[in-house]
Short mmCIF file of all heavy atoms in Angstrom, two decimals:
data_model
loop_
_atom_site.label_atom_id
_atom_site.label_comp_id
_atom_site.label_asym_id
_atom_site.label_seq_id
_atom_site.Cartn_x
_atom_site.Cartn_y
_atom_site.Cartn_z
N CYS O 745 177.58 238.40 83.13
CA CYS O 745 177.85 238.39 81.76
C CYS O 745 179.07 237.54 81.42
O CYS O 745 179.01 236.64 80.51
CB CYS O 745 178.03 239.77 81.18
SG CYS O 745 176.88 241.05 81.73
N THR O 746 180.15 237.80 82.10
CA THR O 746 181.41 237.07 81.84
C THR O 746 181.38 235.72 82.53
O THR O 746 181.73 234.68 81.91
CB THR O 746 182.59 237.87 82.39
OG1 THR O 746 182.38 238.31 83.74
CG2 THR O 746 182.82 239.08 81.47
N SER O 747 180.95 235.61 83.80
CA SER O 747 180.99 234.35 84.50
C SER O 747 180.01 233.34 83.90
O SER O 747 180.24 232.12 84.00
CB SER O 747 180.70 234.55 86.00
OG SER O 747 179.45 235.13 86.18
N GLY O 748 178.95 233.85 83.31
CA GLY O 748 177.96 232.97 82.70
C GLY O 748 178.16 232.76 81.24
O GLY O 748 177.35 232.07 80.55
N SER O 749 179.20 233.38 80.69
CA SER O 749 179.55 233.31 79.23
C SER O 749 178.31 233.57 78.37
O SER O 749 177.89 232.80 77.49
CB SER O 749 180.07 231.94 78.89
OG SER O 749 181.24 231.63 79.66
N CYS O 750 177.62 234.70 78.66
CA CYS O 750 176.40 235.00 77.98
C CYS O 750 176.64 235.26 76.52
O CYS O 750 177.56 236.00 76.12
CB CYS O 750 175.75 236.28 78.62
SG CYS O 750 174.26 236.74 77.76
N PRO O 751 175.85 234.70 75.59
CA PRO O 751 176.05 234.85 74.18
C PRO O 751 175.78 236.29 73.69
O PRO O 751 176.21 236.67 72.58
CB PRO O 751 175.03 233.86 73.54
CG PRO O 751 173.94 233.72 74.59
CD PRO O 751 174.70 233.81 75.91
N ASN O 752 175.11 237.07 74.46
CA ASN O 752 174.74 238.40 74.06
C ASN O 752 175.63 239.51 74.70
O ASN O 752 175.32 240.67 74.59
CB ASN O 752 173.31 238.69 74.42
CG ASN O 752 172.36 237.66 73.84
OD1 ASN O 752 172.43 237.34 72.66
ND2 ASN O 752 171.53 237.06 74.67
N MET O 753 176.70 239.06 75.32
CA MET O 753 177.55 239.97 76.12
C MET O 753 178.02 241.18 75.26
O MET O 753 177.90 242.31 75.71
CB MET O 753 178.76 239.23 76.65
CG MET O 753 179.69 240.09 77.54
SD MET O 753 180.84 239.05 78.50
CE MET O 753 181.52 237.96 77.27
N GLY O 754 178.56 240.95 74.13
CA GLY O 754 179.06 242.01 73.26
C GLY O 754 178.01 243.00 72.90
O GLY O 754 178.16 244.23 72.93
N GLU O 755 176.81 242.48 72.52
CA GLU O 755 175.69 243.32 72.11
C GLU O 755 175.20 244.18 73.28
O GLU O 755 175.01 245.39 73.15
CB GLU O 755 174.57 242.50 71.56
CG GLU O 755 173.37 243.30 71.08
CD GLU O 755 172.25 242.45 70.51
OE1 GLU O 755 172.42 241.21 70.41
OE2 GLU O 755 171.20 243.07 70.18
N CYS O 756 174.99 243.57 74.46
CA CYS O 756 174.44 244.28 75.64
C CYS O 756 175.47 245.33 76.11
O CYS O 756 175.08 246.48 76.40
CB CYS O 756 174.18 243.26 76.78
SG CYS O 756 172.76 242.25 76.43
N TRP O 757 176.73 244.94 76.17
CA TRP O 757 177.77 245.91 76.64
C TRP O 757 177.87 247.11 75.68
O TRP O 757 178.03 248.21 76.14
CB TRP O 757 179.12 245.25 76.77
CG TRP O 757 179.23 244.39 78.04
CD1 TRP O 757 178.21 244.04 78.89
CD2 TRP O 757 180.40 243.81 78.52
NE1 TRP O 757 178.71 243.28 79.91
CE2 TRP O 757 180.01 243.09 79.72
CE3 TRP O 757 181.73 243.74 78.14
CZ2 TRP O 757 180.93 242.39 80.49
CZ3 TRP O 757 182.66 243.05 78.92
CH2 TRP O 757 182.28 242.36 80.09
N GLY O 758 177.69 246.81 74.38
CA GLY O 758 177.71 247.87 73.42
C GLY O 758 176.57 248.84 73.61
O GLY O 758 176.64 250.03 73.25
N GLU O 759 175.47 248.37 74.25
CA GLU O 759 174.28 249.21 74.51
C GLU O 759 174.33 249.80 75.91
O GLU O 759 173.34 250.42 76.34
CB GLU O 759 173.02 248.40 74.26
CG GLU O 759 172.82 248.03 72.79
CD GLU O 759 171.67 247.03 72.62
OE1 GLU O 759 171.26 246.38 73.61
OE2 GLU O 759 171.23 246.88 71.45
N GLY O 760 175.40 249.52 76.62
CA GLY O 760 175.54 250.05 78.01
C GLY O 760 174.79 249.30 79.05
O GLY O 760 174.40 249.88 80.06
N THR O 761 174.55 248.01 78.83
CA THR O 761 173.83 247.18 79.80
C THR O 761 174.76 246.10 80.30
O THR O 761 175.53 245.51 79.53
CB THR O 761 172.59 246.51 79.10
OG1 THR O 761 171.74 247.57 78.65
CG2 THR O 761 171.84 245.66 80.10
N ALA O 762 174.66 245.74 81.58
CA ALA O 762 175.43 244.66 82.16
C ALA O 762 174.69 244.09 83.34
O ALA O 762 173.81 244.77 83.94
CB ALA O 762 176.84 245.10 82.59
N THR O 763 174.94 242.79 83.68
CA THR O 763 174.30 242.14 84.76
C THR O 763 175.24 241.77 85.85
O THR O 763 176.33 241.20 85.64
CB THR O 763 173.58 240.85 84.28
OG1 THR O 763 172.63 241.24 83.25
CG2 THR O 763 172.80 240.16 85.39
N PHE O 764 174.86 242.04 87.11
CA PHE O 764 175.74 241.78 88.30
C PHE O 764 174.99 240.87 89.22
O PHE O 764 173.85 241.04 89.55
CB PHE O 764 176.07 243.11 88.99
CG PHE O 764 176.77 244.07 88.12
CD1 PHE O 764 176.10 244.88 87.24
CD2 PHE O 764 178.17 244.16 88.15
CE1 PHE O 764 176.75 245.78 86.40
CE2 PHE O 764 178.83 245.08 87.31
CZ PHE O 764 178.14 245.89 86.46
N MET O 765 175.74 239.85 89.75
CA MET O 765 175.16 238.90 90.69
C MET O 765 175.68 239.20 92.11
O MET O 765 176.86 239.42 92.35
CB MET O 765 175.57 237.49 90.33
CG MET O 765 174.80 236.43 91.22
SD MET O 765 174.81 234.76 90.52
CE MET O 765 176.50 234.30 90.90
N ILE O 766 174.71 239.31 93.03
CA ILE O 766 175.03 239.59 94.41
C ILE O 766 174.77 238.41 95.31
O ILE O 766 174.22 237.39 94.89
CB ILE O 766 174.24 240.81 94.94
CG1 ILE O 766 172.70 240.56 94.89
CG2 ILE O 766 174.55 242.03 94.09
CD1 ILE O 766 171.84 241.62 95.47
N LEU O 767 175.25 238.53 96.59
CA LEU O 767 175.00 237.53 97.63
C LEU O 767 175.73 236.22 97.38
O LEU O 767 175.33 235.16 97.73
CB LEU O 767 173.51 237.23 97.78
CG LEU O 767 172.70 238.35 98.44
CD1 LEU O 767 171.21 238.23 98.20
CD2 LEU O 767 173.01 238.37 99.93
N GLY O 768 176.89 236.33 96.69
CA GLY O 768 177.80 235.18 96.56
C GLY O 768 177.49 234.39 95.26
O GLY O 768 176.66 234.74 94.44
N ASN O 769 178.18 233.27 95.14
CA ASN O 769 178.05 232.42 93.91
C ASN O 769 177.70 230.96 94.29
O ASN O 769 177.93 230.06 93.50
CB ASN O 769 179.33 232.50 93.07
CG ASN O 769 180.57 232.00 93.85
OD1 ASN O 769 180.46 231.59 95.00
ND2 ASN O 769 181.72 232.12 93.20
N ILE O 770 177.18 230.79 95.49
CA ILE O 770 176.76 229.44 95.87
C ILE O 770 175.28 229.55 96.26
O ILE O 770 174.88 230.32 97.12
CB ILE O 770 177.54 228.90 97.11
CG1 ILE O 770 179.03 228.78 96.75
CG2 ILE O 770 177.00 227.51 97.57
CD1 ILE O 770 179.93 228.38 97.91
N CYS O 771 174.46 228.70 95.69
CA CYS O 771 172.98 228.78 95.83
C CYS O 771 172.49 227.72 96.78
O CYS O 771 173.08 226.61 96.84
CB CYS O 771 172.35 228.66 94.45
SG CYS O 771 170.57 228.93 94.46
N THR O 772 171.45 228.02 97.54
CA THR O 772 170.86 226.99 98.44
C THR O 772 169.91 226.06 97.74
O THR O 772 169.44 225.08 98.30
CB THR O 772 170.12 227.71 99.59
OG1 THR O 772 169.15 228.68 99.04
CG2 THR O 772 171.07 228.48 100.52
N ARG O 773 169.61 226.35 96.46
CA ARG O 773 168.75 225.43 95.69
C ARG O 773 169.53 224.72 94.64
O ARG O 773 170.69 225.08 94.30
CB ARG O 773 167.62 226.24 95.06
CG ARG O 773 166.73 226.94 96.12
CD ARG O 773 165.47 227.52 95.59
NE ARG O 773 164.79 228.31 96.61
CZ ARG O 773 163.61 228.96 96.45
NH1 ARG O 773 163.05 228.88 95.27
NH2 ARG O 773 163.07 229.59 97.45
N SER O 774 168.95 223.67 94.08
CA SER O 774 169.67 222.77 93.17
C SER O 774 168.86 222.58 91.89
O SER O 774 168.45 221.44 91.58
CB SER O 774 170.06 221.48 93.84
OG SER O 774 168.84 220.90 94.38
N CYS O 775 168.59 223.67 91.17
CA CYS O 775 167.76 223.56 89.95
C CYS O 775 168.51 222.72 88.89
O CYS O 775 169.74 222.81 88.73
CB CYS O 775 167.47 224.95 89.39
SG CYS O 775 166.47 225.97 90.52
N GLY O 776 167.75 221.98 88.17
CA GLY O 776 168.33 221.04 87.18
C GLY O 776 168.90 221.64 85.96
O GLY O 776 169.61 220.98 85.16
#
């Protein structure tokens, strides 16, 4: 939510929802 600067962060957090990324922050793929 914070690292991706999600536009809905305030709304989601207010509803008790958050997103967590696992397995690091470097991807083996290179999506455009």
Side-chain angles (χ1 to χ4, degrees):
C745 316
T746 49
S747 60
S749 301
C750 180
N752 307 308
M753 181 165 52
E755 182 179 355
C756 290
W757 283 10
E759 294 170 343
T761 301
T763 301
F764 300 83
M765 188 164 75
I766 61 175
L767 288 162
N769 57 6
I770 300 176
C771 189
T772 53
R773 300 190 185 182
S774 51
C775 297

